[in-house]
Amino acid sequence: SSSSSSFFSSSSYASKRQRRGGAVRCEATNDIRSTTTSSTTSTTTPSTTSTSTEIEADKESREVLDAFFIGKALAETLLERAGGAFAEALGDFTKYDAERREEIRQFQEDVTNRAREEMYRSKREEDQMR
Protein backbone atom coordinates (compact mmCIF):
# COMPACT_ATOMS: atom_id res chain seq x y z
CA SER A 1 0.00 0.00 0.00
CA SER A 2 2.80 2.44 0.88
CA SER A 3 4.68 1.60 -2.33
CA SER A 4 1.62 2.39 -4.47
CA SER A 5 1.03 5.74 -2.72
CA SER A 6 4.68 6.72 -3.20
CA PHE A 7 4.34 5.83 -6.88
CA PHE A 8 1.47 8.30 -7.35
CA SER A 9 3.31 11.06 -5.54
CA SER A 10 6.50 10.67 -7.55
CA SER A 11 7.39 13.44 -9.98
CA SER A 12 8.20 10.89 -12.71
CA TYR A 13 4.55 9.78 -12.71
CA ALA A 14 3.37 13.38 -13.03
CA SER A 15 5.78 14.08 -15.89
CA LYS A 16 4.72 10.86 -17.65
CA ARG A 17 1.10 11.92 -17.33
CA GLN A 18 1.85 15.32 -18.84
CA ARG A 19 3.73 13.79 -21.77
CA ARG A 20 1.36 11.01 -22.77
CA GLY A 21 -2.09 11.91 -21.47
CA GLY A 22 -4.38 8.88 -21.68
CA ALA A 23 -1.60 6.30 -22.03
CA VAL A 24 -0.39 7.03 -18.49
CA ARG A 25 -3.72 6.14 -16.98
CA CYS A 26 -3.27 2.62 -18.32
CA GLU A 27 0.27 2.53 -16.98
CA ALA A 28 -0.90 3.66 -13.56
CA THR A 29 -3.57 0.96 -13.44
CA ASN A 30 -1.06 -1.69 -14.50
CA ASP A 31 1.50 -0.43 -11.99
CA ILE A 32 -1.00 -0.51 -9.14
CA ARG A 33 -1.94 -4.08 -9.97
CA SER A 34 1.73 -5.05 -10.31
CA THR A 35 2.63 -3.35 -7.04
CA THR A 36 -0.20 -5.03 -5.18
CA THR A 37 0.63 -8.41 -6.69
CA SER A 38 4.35 -8.00 -6.17
CA SER A 39 4.01 -7.13 -2.50
CA THR A 40 2.12 -10.36 -1.86
CA THR A 41 3.84 -12.76 -4.24
CA SER A 42 7.29 -11.48 -5.19
CA THR A 43 9.72 -8.65 -4.65
CA THR A 44 9.33 -6.89 -8.04
CA THR A 45 9.62 -3.12 -7.71
CA PRO A 46 7.19 -0.71 -9.39
CA SER A 47 10.04 0.92 -11.36
CA THR A 48 10.82 -2.36 -13.19
CA THR A 49 7.15 -2.87 -14.07
CA SER A 50 6.84 0.78 -15.02
CA THR A 51 9.77 0.50 -17.43
CA SER A 52 8.32 -2.45 -19.34
CA THR A 53 4.90 -0.81 -19.35
CA GLU A 54 6.52 2.42 -20.50
CA ILE A 55 8.17 0.62 -23.41
CA GLU A 56 4.85 -0.99 -24.38
CA ALA A 57 3.06 2.37 -24.13
CA ASP A 58 5.75 4.06 -26.23
CA LYS A 59 5.45 1.32 -28.84
CA GLU A 60 1.65 1.69 -28.89
CA SER A 61 1.99 5.47 -29.10
CA ARG A 62 4.36 5.15 -32.06
CA GLU A 63 1.99 2.73 -33.80
CA VAL A 64 -0.95 5.07 -33.30
CA LEU A 65 1.12 8.03 -34.50
CA ASP A 66 2.29 6.08 -37.57
CA ALA A 67 -1.30 5.09 -38.36
CA PHE A 68 -2.38 8.72 -38.03
CA PHE A 69 0.24 9.99 -40.47
CA ILE A 70 -0.46 7.18 -42.94
CA GLY A 71 -4.17 7.99 -42.79
CA LYS A 72 -3.46 11.69 -43.24
CA ALA A 73 -1.18 11.05 -46.22
CA LEU A 74 -3.79 8.72 -47.75
CA ALA A 75 -6.53 11.33 -47.38
CA GLU A 76 -4.36 14.09 -48.86
CA THR A 77 -3.33 11.89 -51.81
CA LEU A 78 -6.92 10.87 -52.51
CA LEU A 79 -8.06 14.50 -52.36
CA GLU A 80 -5.30 15.58 -54.75
CA ARG A 81 -6.15 12.86 -57.24
CA ALA A 82 -9.88 13.45 -56.94
CA GLY A 83 -9.26 17.17 -57.39
CA GLY A 84 -7.13 16.47 -60.47
CA ALA A 85 -9.77 14.17 -61.93
CA PHE A 86 -12.47 16.76 -61.24
CA ALA A 87 -10.41 19.51 -62.88
CA GLU A 88 -9.78 17.30 -65.90
CA ALA A 89 -13.48 16.42 -66.19
CA LEU A 90 -14.42 20.08 -65.84
CA GLY A 91 -11.89 20.97 -68.55
CA ASP A 92 -13.32 18.29 -70.85
CA PHE A 93 -16.85 19.52 -70.23
CA THR A 94 -15.84 23.13 -70.89
CA LYS A 95 -14.12 22.09 -74.13
CA TYR A 96 -17.18 20.08 -75.18
CA ASP A 97 -19.46 23.03 -74.34
CA ALA A 98 -17.27 25.43 -76.36
CA GLU A 99 -17.28 23.04 -79.34
CA ARG A 100 -21.08 22.73 -79.19
CA ARG A 101 -21.49 26.50 -79.00
CA GLU A 102 -19.19 26.90 -82.01
CA GLU A 103 -21.18 24.32 -83.96
CA ILE A 104 -24.44 26.13 -83.10
CA ARG A 105 -22.93 29.48 -84.09
CA GLN A 106 -21.70 28.00 -87.38
CA PHE A 107 -25.14 26.44 -88.02
CA GLN A 108 -26.86 29.79 -87.36
CA GLU A 109 -24.43 31.50 -89.70
CA ASP A 110 -25.09 28.90 -92.44
CA VAL A 111 -28.86 29.31 -92.05
CA THR A 112 -28.58 33.12 -92.14
CA ASN A 113 -26.35 33.00 -95.26
CA ARG A 114 -28.76 30.68 -97.06
CA ALA A 115 -31.69 32.88 -96.12
CA ARG A 116 -29.86 35.97 -97.50
CA GLU A 117 -28.92 34.14 -100.68
CA GLU A 118 -32.50 33.01 -101.12
CA MET A 119 -33.76 36.55 -100.49
CA TYR A 120 -31.35 38.02 -103.08
CA ARG A 121 -32.20 35.31 -105.59
CA SER A 122 -35.88 35.85 -105.01
CA LYS A 123 -35.48 39.62 -105.32
CA ARG A 124 -33.50 39.26 -108.58
CA GLU A 125 -36.12 36.96 -110.04
CA GLU A 126 -38.81 39.41 -109.01
CA ASP A 127 -36.87 42.32 -110.55
CA GLN A 128 -36.38 40.35 -113.77
CA MET A 129 -40.11 39.67 -114.03
CA ARG A 130 -41.00 43.30 -113.87
Side-chain angles (χ1 to χ4, degrees):
S1 172
S2 65
S3 62
S4 64
S5 64
S6 67
F7 175 75
F8 283 108
S9 64
S10 72
S11 62
S12 65
Y13 174 76
S15 65
K16 287 180 205 171
R17 182 173 183 169
Q18 289 171 353
R19 281 191 312 233
R20 277 200 288 300
V24 173
R25 289 185 199 116
C26 294
E27 285 183 28
T29 306
N30 290 341
D31 287 340
I32 292 168
R33 287 183 194 144
S34 298
T35 305
T36 307
T37 307
S38 66
S39 65
T40 56
T41 57
S42 69
T43 58
T44 306
T45 62
S47 61
T48 307
T49 307
S50 176
T51 305
S52 65
T53 306
E54 236 177 72
I55 292 169
E56 289 175 26
D58 286 345
K59 183 179 177 185
E60 287 177 17
S61 294
R62 271 184 262 128
E63 289 173 355
V64 169
L65 194 59
D66 289 347
F68 168 78
F69 282 111
I70 288 171
K72 181 181 176 194
L74 174 66
E76 289 173 349
T77 304
L78 289 174
L79 282 173
E80 287 173 5
R81 290 194 181 181
F86 177 74
E88 187 177 330
L90 186 60
D92 290 345
F93 175 75
T94 305
K95 181 180 174 183
Y96 174 79
D97 184 49
E99 289 172 353
R100 296 295 83 67
R101 288 177 187 265
E102 178 60 28
E103 288 176 4
I104 290 170
R105 189 197 63 74
Q106 186 65 43
F107 178 75
Q108 289 173 336
E109 190 176 305
D110 290 346
V111 169
T112 304
N113 287 339
R114 280 189 181 193
R116 280 190 196 134
E117 287 175 12
E118 195 63 38
M119 277 180 31
Y120 290 130
R121 205 174 316 151
S122 161
K123 190 174 180 181
R124 271 188 271 161
E125 287 177 5
E126 200 177 285
D127 287 342
Q128 286 177 358
M129 286 190 189
R130 288 189 196 174

